[in-house]
């Protein structure tokens, strides 16, 4: 199983968490993901995901002009539904990661 | 700093792909400008378009399109206008050539041809936008898609002669009403799209024939003159339009 397959379901939760830390835009999300070690995430792949998250009402967007005066930039914030989803993701992730850790440690 | 040629090409192709997939225009522009912003930042740190969208632009375009809603309202609006325009244009031609005689087969066949041609063209654009460049293959496909309506029209004309379906012959008054209706359609669309093209094309195609009909020249002279004026006029008009477009993009 490649890491991109494992990531598929997790990435949405990670984006919720990043956006939950304060409004942000696409490129900055990728930089933050990289800072946390997610170098396996293909940069462009977050956009189809963000489109879906917006459709599901998890995130809201607004345009802001750049300080340099260039074209407008699209910023994301969490909606109430998004915040609830983030809490649920954390719980689900805790359960999964503890179980996986426990299982793999035994093998060690 | 401006975007590299590869990134610009990718964004243009994505736009074409989304539009020909029937996606909402403002939604498409939103994701395109977002990706433009990303590519711009990424190129500053020395990355290229392949680092962002992966090795297959086609897969990426499909992924993006898959998350976007199909713009049914917009498609119905534009599709409806195209069918009304095309029908107006055909009917006006019939009037010029001596009056409308429309069979059931034609009334159903023409819209079907327009719709299938539109769908084929959209499919072609999607393919051209997402596939690797191969000039021979591209031109073959464009040729095939371009020939299809001509073949379908010929087929329809032939079938119409062979199979007798109920038909109506328009009276003089009905012909006059049709002319007024079609001209109204051309003027309204011209106002709406803010371009004279929907007036100029039918005018150039039909006016010479109509006006020369009032003169005393022989039939052959009339035919020759109207053909020359028509093609000459179209050529000059399209040339002028092309030049206007170049100026527009040049100014940007």
């Amino acid at each position: 199983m490649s890491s991109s397959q494992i990531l598929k379901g997790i990435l949405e939760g990670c984006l919720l968490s990043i956006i939950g830390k304060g409004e942000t835009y696409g490129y900055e999300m990728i930089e933050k993901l990289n800072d946390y070690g997610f170098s396996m995430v293909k940069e462009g792949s977050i956009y189809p995901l963000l489109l879906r998250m917006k459709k599901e009402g998890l995130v809201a967007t607004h345009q802001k002009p750049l300080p340099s005066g260039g074209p407008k930039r699209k910023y994301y914030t969490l909606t109430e539904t998004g915040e609830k989803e983030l809490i649920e993701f954390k719980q689900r992730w805790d359960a999964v990661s503890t179980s996986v850790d426990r299982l793999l440690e035994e093998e060690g | 700093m401006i975007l590299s040629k590869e990134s610009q090409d990718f964004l243009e192709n994505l736009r074409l792909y989304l539009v020909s997939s029937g996606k909402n225009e403002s939604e498409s522009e939103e994701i395109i400008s977002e990706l433009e912003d990303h590519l711009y930042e990424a190129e500053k740190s020395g990355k290229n378009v392949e680092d962002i969208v992966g090795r297959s632009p086609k897969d990426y375009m499909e992924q993006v399109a898959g998350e976007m809603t199909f713009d049914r309202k917009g498609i119905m609006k534009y599709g409806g206008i195209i069918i009304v325009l095309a029908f107006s244009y055909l009917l006006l031609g019939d009037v010029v050539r001596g009056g409308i005689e429309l069979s059931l087969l034609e009334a159903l066949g023409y819209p079907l041809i327009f719709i299938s041609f539109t769908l084929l063209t959209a499919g072609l654009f999607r393919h051209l936008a997402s596939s690797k460049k191969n000039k021979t293959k591209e031109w073959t496909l464009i040729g095939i898609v371009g020939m299809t309506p001509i073949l379908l029209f010929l087929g329809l004309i032939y079938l119409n002669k062979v199979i007798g379906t109920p038909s109506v012959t328009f009276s003089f008054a009905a012909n006059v009403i049709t002319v007024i209706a079609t001209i109204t359609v051309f003027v309204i669309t011209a106002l709406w799209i803010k371009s004279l093209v929907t007036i100029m094309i039918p005018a150039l195609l039909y006016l010479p024939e109509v006006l020369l009909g009032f003169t005393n020249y022989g039939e052959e002279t009339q035919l020759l003159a109207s053909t020359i004026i028509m093609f000459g006029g179209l050529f000059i008009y399209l040339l002028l339009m092309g030049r206007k477009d170049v100026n527009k993009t040049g100014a940007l």
Side-chain angles (χ1 to χ4, degrees), chain A residues 25-27 30 34 42-52 54-55 61 63 66 72-74 76, chain B residues 27 30-31 33-35 37-38 41-42 45 47 51-55 60 63-64 66-69:
Chain A
Y25 57 95
Y27 193 75
I30 280 294
N34 280 333
K42 206 170 61 194
E43 299 198 3
S45 66
I46 62 169
Y47 293 103
L49 197 55
L50 286 168
L51 278 172
R52 186 187 313 162
K54 193 183 172 187
K55 222 169 19 183
T61 59
Q63 307 269 352
L66 293 183
K72 291 193 171 173
R73 180 168 276 166
K74 191 170 168 188
Y76 290 81
Chain B
E27 251 181 77
E30 208 177 306
I31 182 80
S33 72
E34 194 174 18
L35 277 168
D37 181 33
H38 189 115
E41 296 294 330
S45 11
K47 284 175 267 191
D51 296 326
I52 314 301
V53 304
R55 220 168 306 149
Y60 189 69
Q63 262 179 46
V64 173
E67 297 300 338
M68 290 171 64
T69 41

Side-chain angles (χ1 to χ4, degrees), chain B residues 21-199:
Chain B
S21 305
K23 302 299 177 183
N24 181 281
E25 206 182 326
S26 62
E27 251 181 77
S28 304
E29 287 308 319
E30 208 177 306
I31 182 80
I32 287 164
S33 72
E34 194 174 18
L35 277 168
E36 189 180 0
D37 181 33
H38 189 115
L39 284 166
Y40 182 77
E41 296 294 330
E43 282 185 358
K44 271 202 278 195
S45 11
K47 284 175 267 191
N48 63 28
V49 70
E50 204 184 294
D51 296 326
I52 314 301
V53 304
R55 220 168 306 149
S56 163
K58 185 173 187 229
D59 286 349
Y60 189 69
M61 289 180 194
E62 277 172 6
Q63 262 179 46
V64 173
E67 297 300 338
M68 290 171 64
T69 41
F70 183 72
D71 187 10
R72 195 185 302 165
K73 237 168 101 190
I75 296 296
M76 297 283 269
K77 197 168 82 181
Y78 286 109
I81 288 163
I82 289 174
I83 288 186
V84 169
L85 263 180
F87 231 96
S88 306
Y89 162 77
L90 280 173
L91 288 177
L92 193 59
D94 278 355
V95 177
V96 170
R97 280 178 227 104
I100 298 170
E101 200 191 329
L102 198 63
S103 75
L104 186 63
L105 190 70
E106 288 173 308
L108 295 175
Y110 285 135
L112 268 180
I113 294 177
F114 300 143
I115 292 169
S116 48
F117 179 57
T118 313
L119 290 178
L120 263 177
T121 313
L124 174 71
F125 282 160
R126 266 204 306 277
H127 176 78
L128 293 182
S130 62
S131 63
K132 293 243 159 60
K133 298 281 167 259
N134 176 341
K135 280 276 172 279
T136 327
K137 211 177 136 200
E138 275 177 18
W139 284 108
T140 317
L141 281 171
I142 292 172
I144 291 172
V145 172
M147 284 294 287
T148 314
I150 301 174
L151 290 175
L152 289 174
F153 274 124
L154 288 176
L156 185 64
I157 292 169
Y158 175 74
L159 275 180
N160 202 37
K161 279 193 179 135
V162 181
I163 309 169
T165 51
S167 70
V168 277
T169 310
F170 279 33
S171 66
F172 179 74
N175 274 307
V176 172
I177 293 171
T178 310
V179 171
I180 296 171
T182 54
I183 290 175
T184 314
V185 167
F186 294 139
V187 173
I188 289 176
T189 27
L191 288 174
W192 187 57
I193 61 173
K194 296 194 181 67
S195 156
L196 283 177
V197 68
T198 58
I199 296 177

Side-chain angles (χ1 to χ4, degrees), chain A residues 20-72:
Chain A
K21 292 185 191 359
E23 66 165 18
T24 178
Y25 57 95
Y27 193 75
E28 201 177 50
M29 290 183 214
I30 280 294
E31 283 184 321
K32 284 183 184 164
L33 281 174
N34 280 333
D35 289 346
Y36 285 99
F38 285 91
S39 51
M40 63 301 251
V41 175
K42 206 170 61 194
E43 299 198 3
S45 66
I46 62 169
Y47 293 103
L49 197 55
L50 286 168
L51 278 172
R52 186 187 313 162
M53 288 162 71
K54 193 183 172 187
K55 222 169 19 183
E56 287 168 354
L58 302 174
V59 294
T61 59
H62 62 277
Q63 307 269 352
K64 268 206 288 192
L66 293 183
S68 56
K72 291 193 171 173

